[in-house]
Each structure stands twice: as C-alpha cells, then as structure tokens.
Amino acid sequence: EAVRHLAFVLYARHDFAGAAREATKAIALDPTDGHAYGVLGDAYLEVGKYAQAQDALQRIIDLARDLYSYSRLAGLKSLQGDTAGAIEDLKQAVQEGQAQDRPQEHIAWAQWQLGNEYFALGDLKEAEGQYRAALATSPHYYRALAGLAQVHAAQQRYPEAIDLYQQALAIIPLPDYAAALGDVYMQLDHPDEAQKQYALVAYIGYLHSLNKI
C-alpha cells in the first residue's frame, strides 16, 4: 500500500514515468490491487500510451466490475473519441455505485461525467438531466452546478447560468468557472463585470504559483 501511495504522489506531481514505475512495483507485490492498476493506467494515458493504458484499465474491470473500474474505462474511451462507449460505461458506473452503496459524491461524479459526454454531443437535454441527477445525489456538488451553468449558457439562459456559476465559485473558486462566468457577462454586454471575473482568474493563478514555491 505504501508503494501504491507513492505512485499516487508521483502522479499528482506529474511525474508520470515515476508513477508508472511505482504502480508496477505495487502490482508486483499485490496483483489484485485495482487502485495500483488505476494509477498505472492514468500514468500511461498522460503520456499517450493508450494500448498500455487499455491493458491496465482492463485489469481493473477483470478484478472488479464497479463504479471505480467502469469510470476509469469510460475515461479512456472518451479520450479515444468513443463517446458512445464512454456513456455506456458511465451508466454502468452509476448503476454499480448505487447498487453497492458507494459514497454519494463518487456517484455524483460519474453522473457529472455523463453530463459532460452528452454536452460534448450537443445533447443539452440529456446533459441537463445528468447534471440535475448529480445534484440530487450530492446537493451543492460544485462540478454539477458548473455543468448546469454551462448548459444554461448554451441555451442563452444567462441569468440562471450566472447564478449557478456564482454558486460553484462560492464552494471552490476554480479559474475555469470564473472565466466562464466572465464570458457570460460579456454575452450580456457587461464588460466591467466580465473583467472582474477575468481578474479573478489571474489572481487564482497567482495564488497557485505561490503554492508551488
């Protein structure tokens, strides 16, 4: 477990070669460690080794068909452009998560990802349905709030989008949300409000740079 934890740490530091190395060691110590295969697969994905990632993620499925394994496989399929396959795996992830009583936020994460896949297809109705399902599973889930805001912005329902982005930013001030909110203000021809959000993006980036020192 300590070796796998080191693999997680290295992955978080974007040392993908090191993460793959340590994950491989963890697997050698315990060939049933699905989380180690997950780190290995993710590390391979980051460096574009899709065949190796496929092998690692398939091992997770072989070990356990659950929310974790289906979500990981869906991520690979999404990167490969197989949106239909990703959607089916995410539906399985949600179903297994609910059946196995997994943490609500984990289930909501899979529902949010489903919303993203539908949004990428331009299916705003299904995307909205999945984002709302995620919020029903985990109220105030910031990713789903931002996803729903994205749908409303695409529908030109700008006041609703502003409210939802503000809610998401109040929970976690992510620069992507601030930038998207700024774009909505620009659509409404409110450049002053937009500039406030763009300035927030820069400030968040500045704080992030300080944390790296």
Side-chain angles (χ1 to χ4, degrees):
E1 187 171 323
V3 178
R4 186 224 297 160
H5 179 70
L6 177 58
F8 274 118
V9 171
L10 292 172
Y11 179 84
R13 292 177 178 173
H14 291 189
D15 180 358
F16 303 123
R21 181 184 64 249
E22 295 304 318
T24 301
K25 290 180 182 178
I27 291 165
L29 293 170
D30 181 4
T32 67
D33 189 343
H35 290 285
Y37 279 110
V39 179
L40 182 61
D42 287 346
Y44 282 142
L45 283 178
E46 292 289 350
V47 296
K49 295 183 177 180
Y50 295 127
Q52 294 95 321
Q54 174 77 54
D55 290 342
L57 296 176
Q58 186 58 52
R59 285 293 296 141
I60 303 175
I61 291 286
D62 294 340
L63 289 167
R65 295 178 180 272
D66 57 15
L67 185 152
Y68 177 77
S69 60
Y70 281 116
S71 295
R72 289 300 181 92
L73 196 56
L76 173 61
K77 289 180 179 179
S78 183
L79 282 174
Q80 293 176 321
D82 182 6
T83 303
I87 286 173
E88 288 307 309
D89 283 338
L90 286 167
K91 286 180 177 178
Q92 283 284 84
V94 172
Q95 182 178 321
E96 293 298 325
Q98 291 170 337
Q100 297 170 8
D101 198 26
R102 296 301 185 190
Q104 295 299 293
E105 187 167 327
H106 294 185
I107 297 171
W109 181 90
Q111 292 168 319
W112 164 71
Q113 285 284 25
L114 257 176
N116 290 345
E117 295 295 339
Y118 282 119
F119 187 86
L121 288 175
D123 191 338
L124 299 184
K125 181 178 178 181
E126 285 292 339
E128 180 172 352
Q130 291 302 325
Y131 293 139
R132 290 193 183 280
L135 287 169
T137 299
S138 180
H140 310 299
Y141 185 46
Y142 66 96
R143 289 188 172 100
L145 288 168
L148 193 55
Q150 176 180 242
V151 169
H152 287 341
Q155 295 169 331
Q156 298 184 348
R157 296 161 61 184
Y158 298 128
E160 294 99 321
I162 288 171
D163 179 61
L164 287 161
Y165 275 130
Q166 288 175 338
Q167 289 183 52
L169 282 164
I171 297 168
I172 295 186
L174 294 178
D176 289 352
Y177 301 166
L181 178 54
D183 292 344
V184 173
Y185 278 126
M186 287 300 289
Q187 289 293 328
L188 289 172
D189 196 24
H190 294 163
D192 291 343
E193 291 297 327
Q195 287 304 318
K196 289 178 184 177
Q197 298 306 317
Y198 297 146
L200 178 59
V201 173
Y203 182 64
I204 294 171
Y206 169 70
L207 291 179
H208 183 66
S209 69
L210 291 180
N211 289 333
K212 286 186 175 180
I213 296 176

